Amino acid sequence: MSSINVKLRVWRQAGPDVAGKLVDYALTTDSHASFLEMLDQLNRELVNKGEDAIEFDSDCREGICGMCGLVINGVAHGPSDTTTCQLHMRSYKEGDTIAIEPWQATAFPVIKDLVVDRSSFDRIQAAGGYVSVGTGSAPDANAIPIGKAVANEAMDYAQCIGCGACVAACPNASASLFVGAKISQLALMPQGQVERKERALGMVEQMDKEGFGPCSNHGECEAVCPKSIPIKVIANMKREWLKASLT
Amino acid sequence: MASLAQALGSTIGRKYVMAITGLIWAGFLVSHLTANLLLLASDDGAAFNTYAYSLMSLGPLLWVAEGFLAATFLIHVYNAVKITMEKRAARTSRYQVTANAGGPSRKTIASMSMIYTGGLLFVFMILHLKGFKFGTEYTTTVDGTEMRDLYRLVVETYQDPIKVGVYLVMMVVLGLHLRHAVWSAFQSLGVSNQKYLALAEKGGYAFALLVALGFFLIPLAIFLGVGQ
Ligand code: HEM
Ligand code: FES
C-alpha cells in the first residue's frame, strides 16, 4: 500500500437545466484503489463534512456492463484500456491533477454531476437493434451453421456494451460507432437478415432524431472504445444504409 | 424506401454528398494542376495558352462542365455548413479539458479545421476566378491564331510578392483540407475493406502532399523566374 495525493477537478452540476462547473478537491488516496473507489472515498469525506456527494454511475465494476463512464483529463474512460471502473490510481503520479467530467452531448443530458441520461441509446436500439424471432428455449448449438470467421467478426462487434464513450469522445458527439456496431453485428448473422433494411434505416433515423452529430471520421471513438470496436463498423453502417435507401 | 430528400438530409446522406462532391473537386484539381505545369514550358506560354484556347473553344460544352463544377462546389459548401451546424448542436455544453486519445485516432489539426480550411478555400476561389477567369483580357497570337494571353496575366500576377505569399499560404490550407478529406471520403462512401481503406489513407496523404506541393511550386517558380 502506498498513499498518493491528487488534485481533483470534478464537474458539479445540480440538475439538468442548470450550469455546471469544475470544483477543486484535494484527496489522499491509495495507489491500489480503483478510480471509482477513489471517488467513493472522496464522497465519504464530503458526506462526513455535510456536503453533497458527487453523483456518478457504476454497476458491475468489472468492465462488462457499460454503466461507468467519465471523461478524465479530456479522454473518455481516461487512460484505462477498457472502462473507467478498470482504471486504478497507480496510473497516476503523486501530485497529479485529474479533471473529471461527464459525457457531454445534447443527446446525453446531464442528470446530476457526472451522471448522464443515455436512454437515447435505448431508443436507437428499439428502432431496429433486435431480431424478431420466437426465442423459446435455447436452440441446439450449431443448428444454424455460421462460418468461424463470420462468427468471430460478429462477436467482435457484439462486444459493444453501450457505454457511450464513442459519443463522449467524438468532437461531433456522433453515435456512429455504437449504431455501426449494432448494425454490423446483426447484418452478419442469418437471424439478422429479415429486418436488415428496416434496421439500418430505422436506427439511423432514430440516431439523427436524438440529436447525435454527423460523423467526420476523426476516429476518436475507436481510440476510446473499451471493446476496441473499429471504425470499420461505421463504413459498414453507411453501406447498409445506402443499400436500404436505394431499394 | 426513404424519399430522396429525406435520404440526402440524413447525417449519412450528407456525408455521401460531401464525399462525392469533394472527390469530384479533387479530380478537377489534378487536371488543373497538370494544365498549370504547361506554365513552366519555357515557350512564352504557347502551350499553356493553346490549351486554354482549346478549352474555351469547347463553347457550350465548357459551360456545362463549369456549371457542373460550380454546382458540386456549392453543394459541398452547403452541406459543410449544415454538418458544422449539426455537430455544434450535438454538443452545446463543452468540455473544460480536451485531449487526443491517440492510438487509432485520426483526429488531427486537419480534421478539426475542415470548415475553416474550406471557408478559406471558398474565399480564395472567388479571388482566384476574379483575378484570372474574369481578369485582364490580353491577347496573343500562337501559330497564326489569335487567343487570350492568360500566360501573361499569370506571370504578371505572380511578380507581386504579396500575391505569391497569399497563394503559398492558401496551398498549405488546401493541403490541410485534402490531408483529412481524401481518405475520409472513402470511409464516408462505405469502403469497409481494410486493405483498400489503408491504401486510401496512405494514398490520400500522398495525394494531399503532391497536389498542394505542385500548386505551391508553380507561382514560386514564376516569381523566381525559373522556367521562363
Ligand atoms: C478544392 C476544393 C475542395 C475539395 C477538393 C474538397 C474536398 C473534400 C473532401 C474529399 C471531403 C471529404 C468528405 C468526407 O469526409 O466524406 C471534404 C470535407 C469537407 N469539406 Fe471540402 N473540399 C473543397 C472545398 C471546400 C470548401 C470551399 C468548403 C467550405 C466551407 C469545404 C468544407 C468541407 C468540410 C467542412 C468538410 C468536412 C465535413 C465533415 O465534417 O464531415 N470544402 N472536402
Ligand atoms: S461499472 Fe460496469 S463497466 Fe464499469
Side-chain angles (χ1 to χ4, degrees), chain A residues 157-180:
Chain A
Y157 304 154
Q159 287 194 76
C160 169
I161 50 177
C163 66
C166 44
V167 174
C170 176
N172 299 7
S174 169
S176 294
L177 197 74
F178 168 75
V179 180

Side-chain angles (χ1 to χ4, degrees), chain B residues 25-26 29-30 32-33 110 114 117-118 120-121 124-125 167-182 207-216:
Chain B
W25 267 80
L29 290 181
V30 173
H32 190 13
L33 176 59
M114 294 299 278
T117 51
L120 287 170
L121 287 172
F124 175 74
M125 277 280 296
Y167 192 94
L168 297 190
V169 170
M170 280 313 303
M171 290 311 105
V172 175
V173 168
L174 174 68
L176 275 176
H177 199 78
L178 295 176
R179 163 72 165 66
H180 182 65
V182 180
F207 181 90
L209 188 69
L210 286 177
V211 169
L213 196 67
F215 278 115
F216 186 95

Side-chain angles (χ1 to χ4, degrees), chain B residues 160-227:
Chain B
D160 179 350
I162 294 179
K163 287 195 175 139
V164 176
V166 168
Y167 192 94
L168 297 190
V169 170
M170 280 313 303
M171 290 311 105
V172 175
V173 168
L174 174 68
L176 275 176
H177 199 78
L178 295 176
R179 163 72 165 66
H180 182 65
V182 180
W183 89 267
S184 169
F186 289 99
Q187 166 80 14
S188 296
L189 293 174
V191 175
S192 61
N193 180 311
Q194 294 304 285
K195 251 192 271 160
Y196 294 155
L197 196 67
L199 201 69
E201 211 167 338
K202 289 203 191 84
Y205 297 159
F207 181 90
L209 188 69
L210 286 177
V211 169
L213 196 67
F215 278 115
F216 186 95
L217 290 177
I218 293 168
L220 198 63
I222 293 172
F223 181 69
L224 299 174
V226 183

Side-chain angles (χ1 to χ4, degrees), chain B residues 95-114:
Chain B
Y95 290 114
Q96 306 296 303
V97 180
T98 52
N100 279 20
S105 176
R106 275 90 161 171
K107 187 173 129 191
T108 55
I109 293 170
S111 79
M112 291 297 280
S113 60
M114 294 299 278

Side-chain angles (χ1 to χ4, degrees), chain B residues 34-198:
Chain B
T34 315
N36 282 7
L37 289 174
L38 296 174
L39 286 162
L40 304 179
S42 304
D43 60 355
D44 283 328
F48 183 72
N49 283 331
T50 308
Y51 173 75
Y53 180 72
S54 69
L55 277 187
M56 284 183 272
S57 34
L58 289 175
L61 220 63
L62 181 67
W63 304 336
V64 172
E66 286 177 345
F68 174 72
L69 282 174
T72 50
F73 193 75
L74 293 177
I75 292 170
H76 190 81
V77 173
Y78 169 79
N79 281 288
V81 172
K82 279 292 210 186
I83 285 172
T84 306
M85 283 163 50
E86 281 167 357
K87 69 188 235 189
R88 298 220 167 127
R91 178 171 295 127
T92 48
S93 177
R94 311 187 73 166
Y95 290 114
Q96 306 296 303
V97 180
T98 52
N100 279 20
S105 176
R106 275 90 161 171
K107 187 173 129 191
T108 55
I109 293 170
S111 79
M112 291 297 280
S113 60
M114 294 299 278
I115 190 63
Y116 304 113
T117 51
L120 287 170
L121 287 172
F122 184 75
V123 175
F124 175 74
M125 277 280 296
I126 294 170
L127 299 177
H128 194 68
L129 287 173
K130 189 164 162 278
F132 294 118
K133 186 171 170 59
F134 303 108
T136 316
E137 298 260 358
Y138 297 119
T139 46
T140 182
T141 309
V142 179
D143 294 336
T145 314
E146 195 176 272
M147 58 182 70
R148 189 174 174 197
D149 195 353
L150 266 170
Y151 175 78
R152 181 174 161 196
L153 181 60
V154 173
V155 171
E156 278 183 11
T157 302
Y158 294 124
Q159 299 311 312
D160 179 350
I162 294 179
K163 287 195 175 139
V164 176
V166 168
Y167 192 94
L168 297 190
V169 170
M170 280 313 303
M171 290 311 105
V172 175
V173 168
L174 174 68
L176 275 176
H177 199 78
L178 295 176
R179 163 72 165 66
H180 182 65
V182 180
W183 89 267
S184 169
F186 289 99
Q187 166 80 14
S188 296
L189 293 174
V191 175
S192 61
N193 180 311
Q194 294 304 285
K195 251 192 271 160
Y196 294 155
L197 196 67

